[in-house]
Amino acid sequence: MNALEEIKSRFAVALAEITDQPEPLLAMIRPTQDGKFGDYQANCAMPLAKLLGKPPRDIAADLVAAVDLSAICEKIDVAGPGFINLTLKDTWLTGQLAKALPDERLGVAATDSPRTVVVDYSSPNVAKPMHVGHIRSTVIGAALANIHRYLGHQVITDNHLGDWGTQFGMIIYGYKHFVDADAYRQNPVAELSRLYKYVRVLMDYHAAVRKLPEAREALEKMQLALTRVSATGTTDKAQAKKQKKDIARLNEKITAQTDVINGLGGTIDKVSADDALLAAANAHAGVEQAVLDETVKLHAGDEQNRQYWDEFLPYCLDDINRLYTRLGVSFDYILGESFYHDQLGPVVDEFLQRELARESDGAICVFLDGYEAPMIIRKKDGAYLYPTTDLATIQHRVAEWQADAMLYVVDHRQGDHFDKLFDAAKLWGYTDVEMTHVSFGTVLGDDGTPFKTRAGDTVGLEGLLDEAESRALAVAIEQNPNLEASRQKEIGRVVGIGALKYADLSQNRSSDYKFSYDKMLALRGNTATYLQYANARVHGILRNMNVTAESLRAHPGEFVFSGAVERQLAVQLLQFSEVLDDVLVDYKPNLLCNYLFDLAQVFARFFDQCPVRDAGSDELQLSRLQLCDLTARTLTTGLGLLGIEALDRI
Ligand code: ARG
């Protein structure tokens, strides 16, 4: 048991006397931010004061008297309005360190209530090149899977590929009309990707041509409304205020609509400026419908389209697998949407039979409380939809894998889809399984809008990895000009990929974040680069002292705290286990990043103030070396759980 669990379990006994809902109160026991207030703080006296009608300080005093923490705490104080400050015993800390030192798991216990957790992550729509948006799901999902596994849960990772959607209609159509046979023979993936983009351009062009007049009309209406609102004179204060507000709102709408029109205009101009492209667009005026038709044919079992799909899919998979290899991620299962195709009809039938869904305008809909629009599971034309596949997927994951929890690591824009999906699944009977949308924000460029290339295209993931690696290589060369080129390259790879992953993981996942190579590769600050260099530095200390980690672990001595900073490092090291528990509460890997950053900073202070070579006594030197070893292992293990490699030497 870690310190926090130990403290909570003792408090639980005392709180059970007072309330039958101790959980929220126990959650108020936290590590302190400032060592002045001890190591942990319990703030539960304040809410209890209301409940019991007693001053919080008295309640705090009663709790202190009732809680038996003599085995682990040196001191328990009541401070301020009723904070309970707990200070751990040095002997308890050194005892825990001595246990962690020889332990492979650094003293982190596995859970005593393991669950079967399915992590649905990455899940790109194949046949389109992977882009910057895919990095978030991939790295957050992988980290959550690693941490669950490390804590003893049964984890099943599943890449729910979009391998059955319109994008295949697009490449089938593209292949039929535009393939460059030589290029396809030489590099099928590149040619398919070109075809996808080409058909996309044609489709977007026609859509823009269709939408532009409506968009202009809407703008004119807004402008008219603005003129009307601005022209009305009024002396009434309240009315003038409302008028001002209306004008501001209309101006905002006009700006947004102008952007839409400019966007559409840009799409049209791009094609019009290129004679060959324009000719192709004109010759394929029906491309949008034709693509849908090809998709419908594929789903209906059309032999030729099925053959195309069988031929194309492995190429698409090769393409994404190359990226997964570079990112060091893998999956237990890759069950794409196509896997569930045969189960969609039966799912809809069951919903109908059990009257969980009904027909509305020819479509089969699940009406759910609290939503304006129903969830459509079969369209009027008989086509099944994304939610239908997701329902079949839930059924599969529970029946085949006995999932206790399913985590969907997917863009926040799909929030509405998952809200409805989970409600529909509960209606269907899946009430005992946790279903969580682990949503995340958008990757932004410098200007605060979604990260795009200068030409306005989405940023390809492959190019991103290349750039991160080459910039990291430049840093590695600068830091170590005399190192062998192959070593420098390896460092560039580990540091570059690590930086990219960490930049993403260290953000609160719900927020958008600004992508910046310079920031992510900074040698100082909360970056993987800083942590990787810190880790290598600790290894350097052990190397310089000619001690091997094995010898340190084989002969554990007594840990000694000669001052506050060693003790602080000890507390921080022992909180590793607590932070991993914390990550899983709201599925937030950034808490582990913050922890590792804090650890590296405490270590830097320790290194500054506590000489190892000139420790003054063998005992103190050994203790300090052992703290170094624990720090390096915690950094390496923590980074590893985040999916980031660490090197002993940089
Ligand atoms: N393929 C989807 C997309 O790219 C994400 C799938 C997420 N997983 C799921 N079970 N719906 O938007």
Side-chain angles (χ1 to χ4, degrees), residues 120 123 125 160 386 390 408 410 414 418:
D120 177 324
S123 312
N125 294 331
H160 189 76
Y386 183 53
D390 257 330
Y408 295 82
V410 185
Q414 293 194 26
F418 285 110

Side-chain angles (χ1 to χ4, degrees), residues 357-604:
R358 63 185 156 83
E359 200 199 296
S360 167
D361 285 333
I364 307 301
C365 303
V366 185
F367 288 88
L368 298 159
D369 287 343
Y371 302 96
E372 256 176 49
M375 182 170 104
I376 304 177
I377 53 176
R378 196 172 72 203
K379 286 206 295 192
K380 202 172 168 175
D381 64 6
Y384 301 105
L385 293 126
Y386 183 53
T388 330
T389 309
D390 257 330
L391 286 170
T393 308
I394 292 174
Q395 187 177 43
H396 180 85
R397 288 172 178 168
V398 175
E400 295 298 315
W401 302 333
Q402 286 80 46
D404 297 310
M406 292 179 245
L407 309 183
Y408 295 82
V409 188
V410 185
D411 192 308
H412 71 107
R413 282 170 295 193
Q414 293 194 26
D416 196 49
H417 160 70
F418 285 110
D419 286 344
K420 285 182 177 167
L421 175 68
F422 300 158
D423 283 356
K426 285 193 188 106
L427 215 60
W428 201 14
Y430 294 97
T431 46
D432 293 339
V433 43
E434 177 195 331
M435 290 173 271
T436 300
H437 177 199
V438 180
S439 73
F440 52 79
T442 310
V443 184
L444 305 175
D446 269 345
D447 59 355
T449 66
F451 190 34
K452 293 264 160 69
T453 61
R454 246 182 241 130
D457 297 321
T458 45
V459 178
L461 193 47
E462 187 138 49
L464 217 62
L465 300 188
D466 292 344
E467 180 79 17
E469 283 187 16
S470 78
R471 288 186 187 227
L473 177 62
V475 177
I477 293 173
E478 199 184 292
Q479 297 280 319
N480 281 300
N482 301 325
L483 213 61
E484 268 169 66
S486 64
R487 276 287 298 157
Q488 286 172 335
K489 199 153 177 250
E490 174 65 359
I491 294 172
R493 184 187 68 76
V494 171
V495 172
I497 303 288
L500 205 62
K501 290 184 172 187
Y502 193 90
D504 207 299
L505 291 164
S506 57
Q507 303 292 322
N508 184 340
R509 64 174 166 77
S510 334
S511 333
D512 297 342
Y513 80 92
K514 269 195 191 167
F515 188 92
S516 154
Y517 287 115
D518 289 338
K519 270 207 193 120
M520 73 173 71
L521 285 163
L523 289 162
R524 297 205 180 291
N526 191 6
T527 63
T529 316
Y530 172 66
L531 297 176
Q532 284 167 326
Y533 275 84
N535 175 64
R537 203 168 308 122
V538 190
H539 280 280
I541 300 168
L542 299 177
R543 269 195 306 273
N544 283 339
M545 294 290 296
N546 267 328
V547 287
T548 63
E550 290 69 30
S551 68
L552 286 178
R553 289 170 219 165
H555 304 289
E558 284 279 305
F559 281 88
V560 192
F561 303 146
S562 67
V565 70
E566 279 156 303
R567 189 183 180 286
Q568 204 190 349
L569 181 59
V571 172
Q572 181 73 17
L573 284 166
L574 294 172
Q575 282 172 348
F576 183 48
S577 149
E578 297 172 14
V579 91
L580 296 179
D581 291 341
D582 253 7
V583 168
L584 297 193
V585 173
D586 276 324
Y587 308 118
K588 285 177 142 182
N590 65 311
L591 300 179
L592 176 54
C593 298
N594 294 346
Y595 165 84
L596 294 173
F597 181 48
D598 288 343
L599 174 61
Q601 284 178 301
V602 177
F603 183 83

Side-chain angles (χ1 to χ4, degrees), residues 223-396:
Q223 280 160 339
L224 226 85
L226 181 66
T227 325
R228 208 176 320 118
V229 174
S230 315
T232 18
T234 175
T235 47
D236 182 83
K237 243 194 180 159
Q239 258 180 7
K241 204 168 159 196
K242 183 177 172 304
Q243 183 187 29
K244 219 171 142 189
K245 242 182 161 174
D246 286 346
I247 291 176
R249 198 174 39 88
L250 278 166
N251 272 324
E252 233 171 71
K253 274 174 86 176
I254 287 171
T255 314
Q257 187 66 10
T258 311
D259 284 348
V260 169
I261 290 173
N262 288 342
L264 294 172
T267 306
I268 294 171
D269 290 348
K270 216 160 79 186
V271 173
S272 312
D274 179 332
D275 288 344
L277 204 54
L278 185 62
N282 287 331
H284 293 265
V287 60
E288 291 168 282
Q289 187 55 45
V291 160
L292 289 182
D293 293 345
E294 294 295 2
T295 316
V296 169
K297 267 164 70 186
L298 170 68
H299 292 175
D302 175 85
E303 212 169 297
Q304 195 195 13
N305 278 11
R306 179 69 200 206
Q307 252 171 33
Y308 280 133
W309 187 84
D310 285 336
E311 181 177 326
F312 297 156
L313 188 65
Y315 294 134
C316 301
L317 294 180
D318 278 354
D319 197 40
I320 59 171
N321 281 333
R322 209 180 47 244
L323 286 167
Y324 289 144
T325 307
R326 285 184 72 180
L327 286 170
V329 291
S330 59
F331 302 89
D332 299 317
Y333 293 92
I334 302 189
L335 300 182
E337 291 175 5
S338 62
F339 177 79
Y340 298 98
H341 186 240
D342 293 339
Q343 290 155 50
L344 305 184
V347 166
V348 173
D349 289 345
E350 194 185 327
F351 267 76
L352 280 170
Q353 252 161 36
R354 288 181 44 196
E355 295 181 8
L356 304 171
R358 63 185 156 83
E359 200 199 296
S360 167
D361 285 333
I364 307 301
C365 303
V366 185
F367 288 88
L368 298 159
D369 287 343
Y371 302 96
E372 256 176 49
M375 182 170 104
I376 304 177
I377 53 176
R378 196 172 72 203
K379 286 206 295 192
K380 202 172 168 175
D381 64 6
Y384 301 105
L385 293 126
Y386 183 53
T388 330
T389 309
D390 257 330
L391 286 170
T393 308
I394 292 174
Q395 187 177 43
H396 180 85

Side-chain angles (χ1 to χ4, degrees), residues 112-184:
D112 47 18
S113 43
R115 303 199 297 164
T116 299
V117 182
V118 176
V119 189
D120 177 324
Y121 73 100
S122 197
S123 312
N125 294 331
V126 295
K128 317 177 186 185
M130 271 170 100
H131 58 79
V132 57
H134 292 115
I135 194 150
R136 296 213 82 177
S137 174
T138 309
V139 303
I140 297 171
L144 291 175
N146 292 339
I147 297 169
H148 272 98
R149 214 171 257 142
Y150 191 72
L151 291 183
H153 295 283
Q154 154 92 20
V155 175
I156 298 174
T157 53
D158 185 12
N159 189 348
H160 189 76
L161 287 185
D163 60 356
W164 200 238
T166 331
Q167 75 272 31
F168 278 94
M170 288 164 69
I171 51 174
I172 291 173
Y173 186 86
Y175 188 87
K176 283 184 178 172
H177 297 278
F178 308 113
V179 72
D180 174 340
D182 275 342
Y184 183 67

Side-chain angles (χ1 to χ4, degrees), residues 6-8 10-11 67-74 76 86 89:
E6 193 88 50
I7 294 170
K8 281 188 180 177
R10 310 287 167 114
F11 265 86
V67 173
D68 178 13
L69 277 165
S70 50
I72 77 166
C73 284
E74 181 73 52
I76 309 182
L86 303 121
K89 276 190 172 150

